[in-house]
Amino acid sequence: MSELGRMVGRVGLTASTPVTYLHTSAHSGWSGAALTHVAASRQGVFEGSWRTLVLSYRTSPEAVLCVPGARGRMRRSETRVQVWQPHETVRGCWDGDGEAINLFIEPRLFEEALGRPVTFGALKGVAAFQRDGALVGALMRSLLADSLGGSRSGPMLGESILGALVQHVSEAAGMQPEEVLLRNAETRKVRRARDFIEANLAARVGLTEISREVSMSVRHLRRAFHLETGMSPHQYLIHRRVELAKRLMADGRLTLEQVALRTGFVGSSHFSTTFRKVVGVAPSQFRNM
């Protein structure tokens, strides 16, 4: 856990009962965030602090979680979502077997998304956000699934889900983005982003890398890209990879495995699954056609 500890800037964590780490995202390649899937049994108390924002989703609602309430007294949490701001001391207790997905988000992701410095005081006790467990749970489960699958499409899918969570937290806390670019400037930068994606179809590029290339915040890039193309950057990347694969298969000199590797897929199975979703037929059928 030392590598993950360095990623999230752990100040300290103590638990009275051992916590089992079922999975971590230490090798998923995401920029500015890390995820853990943990399990705990019986009863226990915990206390910790991180330099990141901590977003926690209980996947086992039957386990009782208690958090500090008025005057520091422990109270039963009625929500499945908990959010703690950077450097806040996290205290609580649990009763019963349960699992949770914990996401550690660096403050800079919020600054990149909003295009300005941010403070996190407004996040404390965001009741409306914490009650919205369905949306947060779906996004957190999708992020865990991407990490468990080895982020086969590269970090971009995971970073897109992270971006949606950052936006959701920002809106719940009343953070508002600045309008820093004019429409014509956005168009030019989206064109540059498309050119960058086109030049790196076989590479594992992420949203953060693209946003830095075109000097846009991640949130601004996603919004402008969708307005210009009707797709998210990740969807655009997949469609361009498939179009390149079509041209390579039409040439006829490469095997399907070679086509898959030259178009950024991790293998023929991943390539075949994605190709069928986009085109409607398997690569072998397309080649025969």
Side-chain angles (χ1 to χ4, degrees):
M1 288 299 296
S2 58
E3 182 177 354
L4 183 69
R6 287 193 297 271
M7 289 175 65
V8 303
R10 186 171 68 190
V11 177
L13 173 66
T14 58
S16 61
T17 304
V19 175
T20 301
Y21 286 85
L22 305 176
H23 178 73
T24 75
S25 66
H27 303 291
S28 293
W30 305 332
S31 177
L35 174 147
T36 63
H37 181 202
V38 300
S41 59
R42 302 189 299 278
Q43 297 175 322
V45 297
F46 62 90
E47 179 175 326
S49 179
W50 295 263
R51 65 174 177 80
T52 60
L53 178 135
V54 181
L55 183 61
S56 180
Y57 175 74
R58 283 189 294 143
T59 58
S60 305
E62 64 276 5
V64 176
L65 176 68
C66 295
V67 295
R71 299 180 181 178
R73 295 177 181 175
M74 288 294 173
R75 61 172 179 81
R76 177 171 177 163
S77 173
E78 301 299 329
T79 67
R80 296 175 67 176
V81 177
Q82 300 294 325
V83 57
W84 291 284
Q85 58 190 319
H87 299 290
E88 177 182 0
T89 299
V90 177
R91 296 186 182 92
C93 60
W94 73 88
D95 185 1
D97 298 348
E99 297 180 8
I101 304 170
N102 299 316
L103 183 61
F104 305 85
I105 308 174
E106 292 183 6
R108 67 175 179 83
L109 290 192
F110 290 88
E111 297 179 350
E112 291 174 358
L114 299 173
R116 60 179 172 83
V118 297
T119 57
F120 291 91
L123 288 175
K124 196 173 181 65
V126 184
F129 171 74
Q130 292 176 324
R131 284 196 299 268
D132 193 5
L135 175 59
V136 175
L139 292 171
M140 295 279 274
R141 289 178 185 274
S142 296
L143 200 56
L144 175 61
D146 178 59
S147 183
L148 285 170
S151 299
R152 296 190 301 172
S153 297
M156 189 179 292
L157 176 58
E159 289 176 354
S160 295
I161 301 171
L162 283 168
L165 283 164
V166 167
Q167 179 178 347
H168 191 53
V169 173
S170 301
E171 291 175 352
M175 300 178 183
Q176 297 297 323
E178 289 184 349
E179 294 296 333
V180 294
L181 295 176
L182 299 174
R183 180 64 178 169
N184 58 347
E186 288 183 342
T187 301
R188 290 195 298 271
K189 291 193 174 187
V190 169
R191 188 179 300 120
R192 283 172 53 197
R194 292 170 64 178
D195 291 343
F196 183 78
I197 291 173
E198 197 74 31
N200 292 275
L201 290 179
R204 291 171 64 87
V205 295
L207 272 174
T208 300
E209 185 178 356
I210 298 172
S211 68
R212 288 174 180 167
E213 178 71 18
V214 300
S215 301
M216 294 180 78
S217 70
V218 173
R219 177 191 174 104
H220 209 150
L221 173 63
R222 284 201 315 271
R223 184 179 62 181
F225 202 98
H226 192 272
L227 285 173
E228 292 292 332
T229 68
M231 305 181 196
S232 70
H234 178 256
Q235 291 171 325
Y236 183 84
L237 171 66
I238 294 300
H239 277 77
R240 295 308 300 156
R241 282 176 171 173
V242 169
E243 288 303 314
L244 175 59
K246 288 180 180 179
R247 295 197 299 272
L248 293 176
M249 285 191 289
D251 182 75
R253 288 181 292 182
L254 299 177
T255 66
L256 293 182
E257 181 73 24
Q258 290 171 325
V259 170
L261 294 177
R262 289 201 182 188
T263 51
F265 296 95
V266 295
S268 56
S269 176
H270 182 216
F271 168 55
S272 179
T273 300
T274 304
F275 191 94
R276 184 187 292 272
K277 287 181 179 178
V278 176
V279 181
V281 297
S284 56
Q285 293 175 287
F286 181 86
R287 169 168 275 177
N288 292 336
M289 290 164 56

